[in-house]
Amino acid sequence: MAADLSLVAGGGSRAAEIRQLPSGLRDRWCLPAPPSPTLSELFAASPRDGGWAGFVLAQVRGEKPLLWVQERMAILESGRAHPPGLPTQNLVHVEARDARDALWAMEEGLRCSALSCVIGEIWGDPRVLDFTATRRLAVASERSGVPCWLVRLGGSANLSGARMRWRVGSAPSLLNSLDGRAPGLPAWDAELFRARGSPPGRWSIAREAGCFHLVAAPGDRALGEEQRLTG
């Protein structure tokens, strides 16, 4: 059974609303987030697992333009951002020749407070992507108040100035209440393996009506769903 423990986001802060606690939990829970806009780093579970995009876009707030920077190798290996499939059409897309150009475009974008967020995709472990480069992104983000997501595709978790570091992979979608054979709400396996001010953790989460909520592990959920379909 999935724990009905919802995350309600509003304004610049997050608060959790507990509806019921079948697992016996007593503490409030919310998806860890930095107290103010900064640089977060995300490692895709697989270089070609695009589930991370839904996880990131669900946390982008506001009607301001979104800057999405992709280096050429990230596009060749994982595909180009598809604007019609995004929750916002207010998109500024940049195709960078290499990682150096991508980092430059991200830093320049972070100096513009008129943006809602900057997302940058980097493939592998280029030499220019060192601690200094990530530190510059973090400082630029914090000065302008524009959150930044550095997405690492096929990269390793080397030294970084990112305040929060995630590993995110796609998980089986939830049960569709209208058709048991159709996919339901998207879900993710999200691991926060390093953060300032937050303990590490790993969660199975889904998103519905603007809220993240915890879900049971796929094996347990399948049994519960089977009982619902045959009961």
Side-chain angles (χ1 to χ4, degrees):
M1 177 184 294
D4 191 3
L5 186 58
S6 297
L7 170 67
V8 180
S13 62
R14 291 188 175 92
E17 174 191 354
I18 297 179
R19 299 175 182 171
Q20 56 177 296
L21 299 172
S23 60
L25 296 176
R26 289 293 181 268
D27 296 332
R28 291 178 178 268
W29 180 90
C30 65
L31 187 70
S36 58
T38 186
L39 171 66
S40 298
E41 192 173 21
L42 184 149
F43 293 83
S46 167
R48 292 173 179 81
D49 182 352
W52 62 263
F55 176 83
V56 171
L57 291 171
Q59 301 180 64
V60 176
R61 299 288 183 263
E63 300 300 326
K64 297 179 180 180
L66 165 66
L67 174 62
W68 195 321
V69 181
Q70 293 183 291
E71 68 154 322
R72 181 172 176 271
M73 279 303 299
I75 293 176
L76 291 176
E77 295 290 342
S78 300
R80 185 186 305 270
H82 184 58
L86 302 179
T88 176
Q89 299 302 307
N90 206 353
L91 173 71
V92 179
H93 181 262
V94 174
E95 179 180 343
R97 177 178 56 185
D98 52 27
R100 184 184 301 276
D101 287 352
L103 291 169
W104 177 86
M106 292 175 66
E107 187 174 345
E108 289 296 306
L110 287 171
R111 293 174 179 170
C112 177
S113 59
L115 296 176
S116 62
C117 182
V118 173
I119 300 174
E121 294 182 50
I122 303 293
W123 179 267
D125 296 304
R127 294 181 62 182
V128 296
L129 185 57
D130 54 13
F131 179 81
T132 300
T134 55
R135 172 63 179 168
R136 289 174 64 93
L137 292 177
V139 171
S141 174
E142 291 162 4
R143 284 179 176 174
S144 65
V146 177
C148 180
W149 286 89
L150 176 60
V151 180
R152 305 288 307 281
L153 303 173
S156 55
N158 42 23
L159 193 62
S160 173
R163 310 307 191 198
M164 305 193 79
R165 309 185 78 186
W166 293 88
R167 292 188 182 94
V168 176
S170 299
S173 64
L174 303 189
L175 179 68
N176 189 311
S177 59
L178 300 178
D179 185 349
R181 296 170 296 179
L185 296 172
W188 301 273
D189 178 19
E191 178 189 4
L192 179 65
F193 64 92
R194 186 170 301 168
R196 293 186 181 181
S198 297
R202 184 172 180 176
W203 306 272
S204 293
I205 58 176
R207 181 174 172 82
E208 179 181 14
C211 303
F212 284 105
H213 63 90
L214 297 171
V215 298
D220 297 334
R221 191 180 75 244
L223 177 59
E225 292 171 359
E226 182 178 354
Q227 291 174 344
R228 287 177 57 185
L229 290 173
T230 60

